[in-house]
Amino acid sequence: MNRLLPLALLPAVALTACGGDPMAAEGADPEGTTIVVGSQDYYSNEIIAEIYAQALEAAGYDVDRQFRIGQREAYLPEIEAGNIDLFPEYTGPLLQYWEPDTEARLSDDVYEALTAAVPSGLRVLGQSPATDQDSYTVTRAFADEWNLTDVSDLADVTVPLTLGANSEAESRPNGPQGLKDTYGIDVAFTPIEDGGGPLTVKALNDGDIQLAIIYTADPTLEINDLVSLNDDGGLFLASHVVPLASSNVDEQAADVIDEVSTSMSPDELVSLNARSVQEELPAADIAADWLADEGIV
């Protein structure tokens, strides 16, 4: 995922040693342990990072927030150097950073390949059900009318289908030819140059197109009651939220973050993003509300 703003420089961070905590699980001493949590310069990623930070603080850890860093080329070297301990990432794009030629596409395959590709000294924790990836998106009415859940269900639609997306999508593997080759589905193509924005949504609602390529965590989905179809043929590289962790993240801290990951559904991530866009709330408030609602904090 590269929807990020210009790069920011990250200073090296000194990590403190572990102390003791009578509330800690056996074998873990969170008090006095500082975990450096980072985030991309992307509002959705910052919300997830803030959720990690607050959950860890509630478990007795000290947290140093290093948020709103630039693209992977800026922050991954810092993680690999040990200056950042915990970072919300996305399985497919992270795998492609280390293995550009990967052929993995489906969720479990991507995660398995990613766990093998992570450099020494780092690990990925459990991937979340929450995703933030390209998807074929339809209106709720169209999904209900044709009983659509998976992309493969489009084969049962008997009306003409038109895909709307940025013009470059027409020649990409997930464009009309990809739908034909992978699913046997014929679609026309209409270029709409707003990256799944309001013009694309209007075209969907007006029936000018039946499919659009929109990110699964885009608040547009909730605001306009749109449905992302499950890409059961793996045209899009799976992109689940996944924590990237250093050895400074002990097992108790990992358990805290795994609970967060397990609790976050795709729809909840969309709702978190929608609160940021519609209510213009800071990430800290959105994170605190979600953690309380989930009973984690």
Side-chain angles (χ1 to χ4, degrees), residues 14 36 46 49 55 73 75 87 94 100 120 132 138 144 152 180 182 195 205 226 264-265 274 286-287 295:
V36 182
E46 183 182 2
E73 290 75 11
Y75 64 74
F87 207 103
L94 183 57
S120 176
D132 199 351
V138 299
D144 290 346
S152 59
K180 176 66 173 178
T182 302
N205 287 328
L226 303 178
M264 187 176 293
S265 70
I286 298 170

Side-chain angles (χ1 to χ4, degrees), residues 51 54 259 263-264 268 271-272 275 279 281 285-297:
I51 289 173
Q54 292 187 24
E259 182 179 7
S263 301
M264 187 176 293
E268 286 176 329
S271 295
L272 291 171
R275 294 198 72 193
E279 301 176 45
L281 292 173
D285 292 353
I286 298 170
D289 289 346
W290 184 83
L291 286 164
D293 290 344
E294 294 296 318
I296 296 174
V297 172

Side-chain angles (χ1 to χ4, degrees), residues 94 115 140 177 233:
L94 183 57
T115 58
R140 178 76 60 184
Q177 191 60 50

Side-chain angles (χ1 to χ4, degrees), residues 71-107:
Q71 300 188 32
R72 286 185 181 85
E73 290 75 11
Y75 64 74
L76 275 178
E78 296 293 339
I79 297 173
E80 292 171 351
N83 295 326
I84 304 174
D85 298 311
L86 186 65
F87 207 103
E89 259 288 0
Y90 306 90
T91 53
L94 183 57
L95 173 61
Q96 284 186 317
Y97 179 88
W98 285 314
E99 291 189 2
D101 299 327
T102 181
E103 295 182 0
R105 285 294 179 272
L106 297 177
S107 174

Side-chain angles (χ1 to χ4, degrees), residues 52-75:
Y52 291 173
Q54 292 187 24
L56 288 169
E57 287 172 335
Y61 292 89
D62 292 329
V63 172
D64 179 0
R65 291 165 173 79
Q66 297 287 341
F67 290 176
R68 304 189 71 82
I69 309 169
Q71 300 188 32
R72 286 185 181 85
E73 290 75 11
Y75 64 74

Side-chain angles (χ1 to χ4, degrees), residues 25-294:
E26 184 177 353
D29 296 312
E31 187 175 286
T33 298
T34 297
I35 295 179
V36 182
V37 180
S39 87
Q40 296 177 351
D41 199 351
Y42 163 45
Y43 68 95
S44 179
N45 193 262
E46 183 182 2
I47 292 168
I48 300 169
E50 181 62 37
I51 289 173
Y52 291 173
Q54 292 187 24
L56 288 169
E57 287 172 335
Y61 292 89
D62 292 329
V63 172
D64 179 0
R65 291 165 173 79
Q66 297 287 341
F67 290 176
R68 304 189 71 82
I69 309 169
Q71 300 188 32
R72 286 185 181 85
E73 290 75 11
Y75 64 74
L76 275 178
E78 296 293 339
I79 297 173
E80 292 171 351
N83 295 326
I84 304 174
D85 298 311
L86 186 65
F87 207 103
E89 259 288 0
Y90 306 90
T91 53
L94 183 57
L95 173 61
Q96 284 186 317
Y97 179 88
W98 285 314
E99 291 189 2
D101 299 327
T102 181
E103 295 182 0
R105 285 294 179 272
L106 297 177
S107 174
D108 290 344
D109 296 334
V110 170
Y111 182 72
E112 181 179 358
L114 177 60
T115 58
V118 175
S120 176
L122 299 176
R123 59 177 170 152
V124 287
L125 306 182
Q127 67 177 347
S128 173
T131 61
D132 199 351
Q133 66 191 65
D134 281 324
S135 73
Y136 297 113
T137 302
V138 299
T139 64
R140 178 76 60 184
F142 194 76
D144 290 346
E145 179 181 0
W146 295 100
N147 195 28
L148 304 178
T149 301
D150 300 330
V151 177
S152 59
D153 295 333
L154 290 167
D156 298 325
V157 177
T158 58
V159 298
L161 296 172
T162 299
L163 171 66
N166 286 354
S167 55
E168 61 267 22
E170 185 172 12
S171 59
R172 286 186 174 175
N174 48 34
Q177 191 60 50
L179 280 164
K180 176 66 173 178
D181 293 344
T182 302
Y183 292 102
I185 297 167
D186 291 304
V187 299
F189 184 82
T190 294
I192 307 175
E193 308 292 354
D194 73 339
L199 295 177
T200 300
V201 172
K202 184 177 188 303
L204 275 173
N205 287 328
D206 290 348
D208 297 331
I209 61 174
Q210 289 69 48
L211 295 171
I213 296 178
I214 300 176
Y215 281 104
T216 55
D218 194 315
T220 292
L221 272 67
E222 180 176 277
I223 295 167
N224 295 282
D225 198 22
L226 303 178
V227 176
S228 290
L229 300 179
N230 175 46
D231 180 25
D232 49 327
L235 265 179
F236 295 111
L237 185 68
S239 181
H240 288 257
V241 175
V242 66
L244 178 60
S246 78
S247 58
N248 199 47
V249 177
D250 63 31
E251 289 307 312
Q252 181 178 337
D255 287 345
V256 169
I257 301 305
D258 280 339
E259 182 179 7
V260 167
S261 295
T262 301
S263 301
M264 187 176 293
S265 70
D267 288 345
E268 286 176 329
L269 182 55
V270 173
S271 295
L272 291 171
N273 293 343
R275 294 198 72 193
S276 178
V277 172
Q278 292 181 290
E279 301 176 45
E280 299 183 352
L281 292 173
D285 292 353
I286 298 170
D289 289 346
W290 184 83
L291 286 164
D293 290 344
E294 294 296 318

